[in-house]
């Protein structure tokens, strides 16, 4: 995998910092807590952590309301704690990705304080002010406009009124935000996940949005209107390209965009000549029905739509969506793990997914999420998927010595790291083994994906590679990494290429067949002969399969096919 940039072969692990590990007993996770758990992440095998916002914030939206783009909120620690975490992560070979929140700041940000103070303040135009509101809706319910008495105008807020939208058409604002990016890049941060990238630019004429004829009861209230004029505007692409150019001022960094759009629009965020986001987040697996045919379809559609040279990526969960194990059940969560880790490109997983963590029910008096507070009872709240990481079976799950900010739920007595580490068949073991398999079989990262078809309720695809990289220069095209130039592995002996060959044992041409039984019944599938590399049940590795293979209910297999036959085994 040496011919790939780090983020191309990475498994990225999202940490919601309030919920990962508390180190000071206040019931809220923090940077020193993350530091304490770095070795757990190394053992899990992930390559990078993405930490949701840690900047100073009144926490109206738990950090997605930033009051200083170049600081650390005391709830999470100090800048010295951050520097130490970054250094320690790097020492272990882990990259660190921060969350950048450019669409809006906190209403407590000094910029907004100045902006709202007078119509003539130089910062006035850093936010979006109008004499009259239009019909745009906030994602968190109600109008997107708030009247401000001091100056008698309305300001735009696509989320909470405590999150005023920044005006990216203003060059001074843009320069200030780009300098905030440079501040972190200079420190050595490895990249950014950009919050609501597709919303950053709005219609310059502020036209009303049309009604959404497809609106159904129970959907988020802002879906009453089609977001024609306040999302995915054409001008966004120039802006993303400029942001990418800032990130590219520093070597080997990554720009990831949070974008919830249908596949064709999503692809435009790679940008003209791929100068946009390195990775527009692919949320297809979060949104599609859980059936072999539905998943086969999104895989094919996504693959076909990828622009030439664009690098794919797959996401299974995040802090805004129900946990996968709650959506599809414990057994299928293992199938989902195998699916995720056998798809091409960059992988993003959410903390606790490796434990099969479920949504935790939140009683009305425990609600923290402003979305649920604004729109109660619609099932839109995000607290259930943000509960503390259960490290052990103790009352607070080893997460804190204090009172956790959200409950851990009853399940944590069984579903916790310590218990799953003791169990050789646990989902945690499965995740570790799958990540390892991905590292030792680069074909899973950058091989071709062939097939993606549903046979009965079994999803079937092949991952195929051509040449063993010892046949060519693995460092071609990555001069910075070329061993003759410098040693990128200094200080990480276990990873040093002279010590371990990631391609060792990889045949000249690999063909891996992935079979995922997405149903509750067993299935029998015709295959070419091969050897099982891994089963979701972790109990038939190394066994040979002949012309037929039986999959138990909810079983997934990765089979290394024998090389005698020529063409692909799938049709
Ligand atoms: C998307 C983030 O993921 C979500 O958590 C947040 O509430 C909104 N953007 C607003 O920043």
């Amino acid at each position: 995998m040496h011919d790939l940039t780090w983020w191309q072969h990475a498994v990225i692990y999202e940490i919601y910092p309030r919920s990962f590990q508390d180190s000071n007993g206040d019931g809220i996770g923090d940077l020193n807590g993350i530091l304490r758990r770095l070795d757990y992440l190394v053992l899990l095998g992930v390559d990078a952590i993405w930490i949701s916002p840690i900047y100073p914030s009144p926490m109206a939206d738990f950090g997605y309301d930033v009051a200083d783009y170049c600081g650390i909120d005391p709830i999470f620690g100090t800048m010295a704690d951050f520097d130490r975490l970054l250094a320690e992560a790097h020492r272990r070979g882990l990259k660190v990705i921060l969350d950048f929140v450019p669409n809006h700041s906190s209403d407590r940000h000094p910029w907004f304080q100045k902006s709202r103070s007078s119509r003539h303040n130089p910062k006035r135009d850093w936010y979006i002010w109008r004499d009259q509101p239009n019909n745009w809706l906030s994602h968190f319910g109600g109008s997107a406009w708030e009247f401000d008495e001091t100056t008698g105008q309305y300001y735009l807020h696509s989320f909470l009124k405590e999150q005023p939208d920044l005006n990216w058409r203003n060059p001074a604002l843009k320069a200030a935000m780009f300098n905030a990016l440079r501040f972190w890049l200079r420190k050595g941060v490895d990249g950014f996940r950009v919050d609501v990238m597709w919303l950053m630019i709005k219609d310059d004429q502020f036209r009303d949005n049309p009604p959404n004829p497809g609106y159904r009861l129970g959907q988020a209230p802002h879906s009453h209107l089609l977001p024609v004029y306040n999302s995915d505007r054409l001008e966004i692409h120039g802006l993303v390209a400029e942001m990418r150019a800032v990130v590219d001022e520093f070597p080997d960094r990554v720009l990831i965009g949070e974008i919830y759009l249908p596949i064709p629009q999503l692809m435009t965020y790679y940008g003209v000549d791929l100068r946009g986001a390195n990775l527009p987040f692919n949320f297809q697996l979060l949104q599609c029905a859980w059936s072999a045919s539905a998943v086969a379809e999104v895989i094919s559609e996504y693959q076909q739509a990828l622009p030439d040279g664009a690098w794919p990526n797959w996401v299974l969960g995040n802090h805004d969506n129900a946990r996968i194990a709650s959506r599809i059940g414990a057994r299928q969560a293992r199938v989902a793990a195998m699916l995720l880790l056998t798809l091409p490109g960059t992988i993003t997983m959410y903390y606790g997914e490796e434990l099969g963590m479920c949504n935790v029910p939140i009683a009305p008096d425990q609600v923290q999420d402003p979305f649920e507070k604004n729109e109660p009872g619609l099932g839109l709240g995000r607290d259930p998927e943000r509960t503390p990481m259960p490290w052990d079976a103790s009352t607070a799950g080893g997460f804190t010595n204090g009172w956790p900010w959200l409950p851990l739920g009853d399940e944590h007595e069984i579903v916790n790291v310590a218990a799953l580490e003791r169990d050789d068949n646990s989902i945690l073991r499965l995740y570790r083994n799958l990540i390892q398999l991905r590292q030792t079989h680069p074909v899973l990262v950058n091989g071709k994906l062939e097939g993606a078809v549903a046979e009965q309720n079994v999803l079937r695809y092949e991952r195929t590679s051509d040449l063993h990289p010892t046949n060519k220069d693995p460092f071609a095209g990555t001069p910075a990494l070329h061993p003759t130039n410098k040693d990128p592995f200094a200080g990480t002996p276990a990873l040093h290429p002279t010590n371990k060959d990631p391609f060792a044992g990889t045949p000249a041409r690999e063909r891996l067949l992935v079979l995922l039984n997405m149903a509750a019944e067993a299935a029998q599938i015709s295959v070419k002969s091969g050897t099982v590399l891994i089963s979701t049940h972790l109990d038939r590795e190394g066994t040979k399969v002949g012309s037929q293979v039986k999959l138990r209910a909810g079983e997934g297999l990765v089979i290394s096919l024998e090389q005698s036959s020529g063409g692909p085994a799938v049709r």
Side-chain angles (χ1 to χ4, degrees), residues 50-321:
W50 147 33
I51 313 176
S52 290
I54 47 176
Y55 315 108
S57 164
M59 302 288 163
D61 189 19
F62 298 113
Y64 285 96
D65 47 325
V66 178
D68 172 3
Y69 285 94
C70 298
I72 298 290
D73 195 283
I75 240 173
F76 297 123
T78 62
M79 192 58 87
D81 294 334
F82 176 78
D83 291 341
R84 192 165 46 246
L85 175 62
L86 183 63
E88 286 297 317
H90 282 170
R91 201 168 66 77
R92 290 167 172 81
L94 288 171
K95 305 285 186 181
V96 176
I97 296 169
L98 289 187
D99 215 310
F100 186 56
V101 190
N103 180 69
H104 43 268
S105 73
S106 161
D107 61 346
R108 309 278 178 81
H109 196 297
W111 297 343
F112 188 68
Q113 298 292 317
K114 290 182 182 143
S115 185
R116 82 186 329 177
S117 67
S118 135
R119 291 194 186 199
H120 308 292
N121 189 284
K123 297 273 185 311
R124 181 66 169 184
D125 187 49
W126 285 32
Y127 293 83
I128 299 172
W129 294 94
R130 303 278 294 163
D131 287 332
Q132 291 300 324
N134 62 12
N135 75 347
W136 295 353
L137 296 173
S138 154
H139 283 245
F140 286 155
S143 167
W145 296 94
E146 181 73 9
F147 184 69
D148 200 44
E149 280 187 352
T150 319
T151 55
Q153 279 192 316
Y154 293 80
Y155 66 86
L156 181 69
H157 59 91
S158 297
F159 293 88
L160 298 174
K161 66 177 167 36
E162 292 83 2
Q163 294 168 295
D165 280 36
L166 288 158
N167 178 14
W168 278 87
R169 294 180 190 274
N170 179 297
L173 173 275
K174 198 199 299 184
M177 291 297 272
F178 285 171
N179 280 336
L181 288 178
R182 291 189 185 98
F183 171 83
W184 296 105
L185 291 164
R186 260 184 229 116
K187 276 186 177 288
V189 159
D190 299 288
F192 297 96
R193 171 268 189 191
V194 179
D195 194 61
V196 296
M197 186 181 260
W198 83 113
L199 302 183
M200 285 172 63
I201 289 269
K202 287 91 188 169
D203 180 37
D204 55 359
Q205 296 165 55
F206 297 95
R207 283 167 282 191
D208 274 349
N209 279 329
N212 175 7
Y215 178 79
R216 300 278 167 277
L217 210 67
Q219 283 182 337
H222 75 271
S223 318
H224 274 291
L225 300 178
L226 292 172
V228 175
Y229 293 111
N230 59 349
S231 85
D232 193 29
R233 303 296 300 165
L234 209 55
E235 300 99 309
I236 185 63
H237 298 296
L239 179 55
V240 173
E242 283 183 74
M243 196 178 273
R244 165 73 181 279
V246 171
V247 170
D248 281 355
E249 289 167 16
F250 300 78
D252 289 336
R253 312 301 161 101
V254 67
L255 186 69
I256 306 174
E258 184 205 24
I259 300 149
Y260 285 92
L261 286 174
I263 289 175
Q265 288 100 300
L266 178 69
M267 294 303 171
T268 62
Y269 284 76
Y270 281 105
V272 175
D273 297 331
L274 303 181
R275 284 167 203 254
N278 296 110
L279 301 172
F281 259 150
N282 167 12
F283 296 131
Q284 294 304 310
L285 297 179
L286 291 174
Q287 296 168 327
C288 75
W290 198 252
S291 72
S293 55
V295 176
E297 204 175 307
V298 298
I299 293 175
S300 305
E301 200 194 329
Y302 181 78
Q303 290 272 120
Q304 278 162 24
L306 270 177
D308 270 357
W311 191 253
N313 78 94
W314 296 91
V315 180
L316 195 58
N318 63 28
H319 62 286
D320 293 327
N321 287 278

Side-chain angles (χ1 to χ4, degrees), residues 27 95 144-145 195 328 331 339 467 499 509 517 541:
K95 305 285 186 181
W145 296 94
D195 194 61
I328 63 176
R331 189 146 59 181
L339 168 68
L467 285 174
N499 294 339
R509 180 168 193 276
N517 185 357
E541 286 67 31

Side-chain angles (χ1 to χ4, degrees), residues 307-517:
D308 270 357
W311 191 253
N313 78 94
W314 296 91
V315 180
L316 195 58
N318 63 28
H319 62 286
D320 293 327
N321 287 278
R323 285 193 174 270
I324 183 77
S326 291
R327 280 192 282 139
I328 63 176
R331 189 146 59 181
Q332 284 296 320
R334 298 176 77 112
V335 172
M338 185 171 279
L339 168 68
L340 182 72
L341 289 158
T342 55
L343 287 172
T346 307
I347 298 306
T348 303
M349 57 183 287
Y350 184 46
Y351 84 94
E353 235 155 54
E354 75 277 22
L355 311 179
M357 244 177 114
C358 284
N359 282 1
V360 172
I362 305 292
D365 64 347
Q366 295 171 321
V367 170
Q368 301 277 349
D369 183 12
F371 197 6
E372 179 66 27
K373 287 184 179 168
N374 278 3
E375 299 290 341
L378 295 176
L380 300 170
R382 301 162 298 174
D383 293 328
E385 62 261 22
R386 296 176 174 181
T387 58
M389 178 83 167
W391 296 98
D392 60 40
S394 65
T395 319
F399 163 70
T400 179
N401 295 328
W403 189 257
W405 77 288
L406 279 174
L408 279 97
D410 300 334
E411 231 189 24
H412 95 270
E413 285 160 21
I414 304 156
V415 176
N416 63 69
V417 173
L420 300 189
E421 273 180 341
R422 286 192 297 268
D423 174 359
D424 286 345
N425 283 311
S426 69
I427 185 166
L428 178 57
R429 288 295 173 107
L430 176 65
Y431 262 93
R432 284 184 188 162
N433 290 0
L434 283 167
I435 292 173
Q436 201 179 23
L437 187 78
R438 194 169 176 84
Q439 285 159 352
T440 51
H441 294 264
V443 64
L444 290 172
V445 177
N446 64 354
K448 256 192 264 157
L449 187 148
E450 294 178 296
V453 291
E455 280 184 26
Q456 305 157 52
N457 287 314
V458 174
L459 174 63
R460 168 182 195 142
Y461 50 91
E462 272 189 34
R463 304 301 315 281
T464 58
S465 72
D466 293 329
L467 285 174
H468 189 293
T470 52
N471 296 338
K472 53 179 190 193
D473 179 356
F475 296 95
T478 52
L481 282 179
H482 202 289
T484 54
N485 292 341
K486 69 174 185 205
D487 183 354
F489 296 92
T492 52
L495 287 177
H496 202 291
T498 53
N499 294 339
K500 118 176 162 187
D501 177 359
F503 298 94
T506 313
R509 180 168 193 276
E510 262 209 303
R511 287 177 63 193
L512 303 186
L513 172 65
V514 182
L515 297 172
L516 303 170
N517 185 357

